[in-house]
Amino acid sequence: MAEAGRADGSAPATHRPVPPRAPAERGCAVQVSVIVPVHNSECWLDECLKSVWEQDFKETMELSVFNDASKDGSAEILEKWKIKLEGVGVPVIIGNNDSSEPRGVGFAKNQAVFQSSGTYLCFLDSDDVMMPQRIRLQYEAAIQRPNSIIGCQVRREPPESTERYTRWINNMTEEQLLTQVFTSHGPTVIMPTWFCSREWFFHVGKFDEGGKGVPEDLLFFYKHLQKGGEVFRVNHCLLLYRYHPQAATHSVLEGTIWNHRVRFLEDRVLSSWTSFTIWNAGKQGKKLYRSLSPANRKKVTAFCDVDEKKIMKGFYTYEESEERPKPKIPVCHFRDATPPFIICVKLQEQCKEAGQLVLLFCSLLIEMAVFLDWRASKQHLNTVSSLQAVLLMDPRRAGKLDVQPSMWDTKLSY
């Protein structure tokens, strides 16, 4: 398995010298705790922990690992690296779930945080590899942004996996880190890159410990935004982010993710809107309508579209409703629609057609002079009355290269 030691993808030195580091003596404040949940991770754990050992961060740091009922050789690898790391001044705390069943990744992360003592928390998945400068650069960013989750750019392994998703992770602008929180990809800085202050972590609250089937990172990210948290990305590739479909996985259901996204949209945006139009009179638009709370369904004034066949129907009847008569929502051409909009798009065609759809969306906004005041979003949507459109897009199935299991796969190893 290839080692990744530099952000530019070039091979690292075979024996890179470990930089001098301030000793974490008893009573000396630890600046950074590296938080690593472990479950059946022996295939990747050596590389992961070596990347902790190779950090060029010169302040005090510690490694806090929670081994969640691993049945492979993870425990032995942890003990080996405990000796190595403590030999260069990095204390290692290892917690264990000694039961026969794992409690889940949310529980393991929480336990690793609880047993740690660092002023800042650097989260690391046991199958990923940090670049040597990761902690230093994210620490420098975090001390300037006490209420932020700090992320970074990543390099995917294998390189051809989830290419479109990886571009999304790495190329969003600073504003898009907040404005794209409603799309299906979830946290705009991915969990394995998170770095934040301990104080802010506990202000937001711990990870959900529901176990299998719970998107604990997405729920924490939503709480973070709801409490006024900021999002920042260090624009350097600081993590080798592995994708391994050969591993046994159990996925968080797509419906679970969808329901959490809709509830977040209702809380953050629709609660401040008195009415709105759903842009998409097809399956995705109707799915959104049916998923809304009864109060928010009543705010939908129309569906709008460009498909003449859909427009010719004149209205959509909500057949599942228990109301009598059943609600009938008008369907109109986008030129006749009234903002604000929820633009609900599922890109499932080929790349060229997906690009045309995005261009059509841009043309729509220009032609109707609908100005997207994303500054409202940047202020955590506290002034969403000035926000004219929200893009609720599911681009995961766009094109052939990105047809993968759910982006929300929860590995049996983590």
Side-chain angles (χ1 to χ4, degrees):
M1 188 173 293
E3 181 181 341
R6 294 179 185 170
D8 62 5
S10 59
T14 304
H15 300 290
R16 197 182 67 80
V18 179
R21 186 177 289 115
E25 300 172 352
R26 181 172 297 179
C28 179
V30 174
Q31 291 301 309
V32 177
S33 297
V34 182
I35 304 300
V36 183
V38 170
H39 177 69
N40 292 342
S41 305
E42 65 176 355
C43 292
W44 311 282
L45 199 50
D46 267 314
E47 272 195 285
C48 174
L49 298 181
K50 183 182 179 184
S51 75
V52 177
W53 184 72
E54 291 185 329
Q55 290 300 297
D56 64 13
F57 184 63
K58 295 183 180 180
E59 304 300 325
T60 54
M61 58 181 279
E62 67 181 9
L63 173 65
S64 179
V65 180
F66 190 82
N67 185 3
D68 190 17
S70 293
K71 294 180 173 61
D72 62 359
S74 294
E76 291 76 12
I77 295 172
L78 290 173
E79 290 300 327
K80 176 185 71 175
W81 278 100
K82 177 179 172 68
I83 295 171
K84 287 187 176 183
L85 286 164
E86 292 188 340
V88 295
V90 181
V92 178
I93 306 99
I94 302 175
N96 292 281
N97 171 15
D98 296 324
S99 69
S100 60
E101 296 296 326
R103 293 283 301 274
V105 65
F107 174 81
K109 288 174 186 172
N110 285 336
Q111 293 302 309
V113 171
F114 297 160
Q115 69 190 17
S116 71
S117 61
T119 304
Y120 292 90
L121 306 174
C122 176
F123 291 91
L124 175 64
D125 282 358
S126 60
D127 55 354
D128 293 334
V129 178
M130 295 192 290
M131 304 306 165
Q133 66 272 40
R134 180 192 170 186
I135 292 178
R136 173 173 55 84
L137 293 181
Q138 289 191 303
Y139 174 79
E140 291 170 358
I143 59 178
Q144 302 296 324
R145 301 167 179 85
N147 66 335
S148 291
I149 290 178
I150 310 295
C152 66
Q153 294 174 325
V154 302
R155 180 158 62 88
R156 200 65 151 144
E157 178 66 32
E160 70 276 5
S161 62
T162 65
E163 289 181 317
R164 200 164 277 107
Y165 177 54
T166 304
R167 286 198 298 271
W168 181 79
I169 292 169
N170 289 336
N171 296 330
M172 275 179 288
T173 66
E174 184 177 348
E175 284 194 340
Q176 287 172 334
L177 292 174
L178 286 172
T179 61
Q180 295 202 10
V181 297
F182 300 104
T183 65
S184 66
H185 283 327
T188 48
V189 287
I190 61 170
M191 173 66 216
T193 72
W194 285 7
F195 192 108
C196 67
S197 73
R198 169 180 294 274
E199 182 178 358
W200 184 255
F201 176 87
F202 283 105
H203 176 71
V204 175
K206 65 181 185 179
F207 291 106
D208 190 292
E209 296 183 357
K212 182 177 179 179
V214 175
E216 84 292 332
D217 55 347
L218 179 66
L219 297 179
F220 186 94
F221 188 71
Y222 284 170
K223 285 195 299 180
H224 162 78
L225 295 176
Q226 289 165 344
K227 289 180 178 287
E230 297 280 355
V231 184
F232 182 80
R233 187 187 66 222
V234 175
N235 287 324
H236 294 275
C237 179
L238 303 179
L239 188 77
L240 177 72
Y241 179 37
R242 282 202 174 94
Y243 175 78
H244 43 92
Q246 76 279 9
T249 64
H250 59 272
S251 298
V252 178
L253 295 177
E254 185 176 335
T256 300
I257 297 296
W258 172 266
N259 289 334
H260 284 304
R261 289 170 60 204
V262 172
R263 299 290 83 80
F264 182 65
L265 177 71
E266 290 184 315
D267 176 66
R268 302 299 288 163
V269 178
L270 301 186
S271 60
S272 298
W273 284 0
T274 58
S275 64
F276 61 95
T277 299
I278 296 177
W279 192 84
N280 188 337
K283 291 182 179 179
Q284 282 296 101
K286 293 172 183 176
K287 178 182 178 182
L288 172 62
Y289 176 85
R290 293 192 299 269
S291 302
L292 296 172
S293 67
N296 282 316
R297 282 199 296 266
K298 291 183 182 299
K299 296 179 183 180
V300 179
T301 57
F303 293 90
C304 71
D305 213 295
V306 295
D307 188 330
E308 292 297 337
K309 291 182 179 179
K310 295 172 184 174
I311 296 168
M312 287 291 292
K313 293 179 180 179
F315 56 84
Y316 162 67
T317 302
Y318 181 32
E319 297 290 355
E320 296 90 340
S321 176
E322 297 181 357
E323 294 182 43
R324 294 296 182 271
K326 295 180 184 294
K328 291 187 176 182
I329 312 302
V331 178
C332 64
H333 194 277
F334 70 81
R335 291 188 182 90
D336 302 318
T338 303
F341 298 91
I342 298 295
I343 301 166
C344 190
V345 181
K346 185 171 186 176
L347 300 181
Q348 56 186 3
E349 308 299 332
Q350 297 303 317
C351 299
K352 180 179 179 181
E353 294 169 315
Q356 290 173 342
L357 186 56
V358 173
L359 289 174
L360 179 61
F361 161 61
C362 295
S363 298
L364 164 71
L365 296 179
I366 294 170
E367 183 167 348
M368 298 188 64
V370 177
F371 298 102
L372 303 182
D373 186 359
W374 292 125
R375 293 182 183 275
S377 180
K378 195 171 182 181
Q379 296 300 320
H380 317 299
L381 301 181
N382 288 333
T383 56
V384 293
S385 60
S386 61
L387 187 67
Q388 293 295 297
V390 170
L391 183 59
L392 188 71
M393 186 169 69
D394 186 353
R396 289 178 296 171
R397 303 182 187 277
K400 295 181 179 179
L401 292 177
D402 283 348
V403 178
Q404 305 284 5
S406 168
M407 291 298 177
W408 300 98
D409 281 357
T410 302
K411 306 181 187 72
L412 290 180
S413 59
Y414 43 81

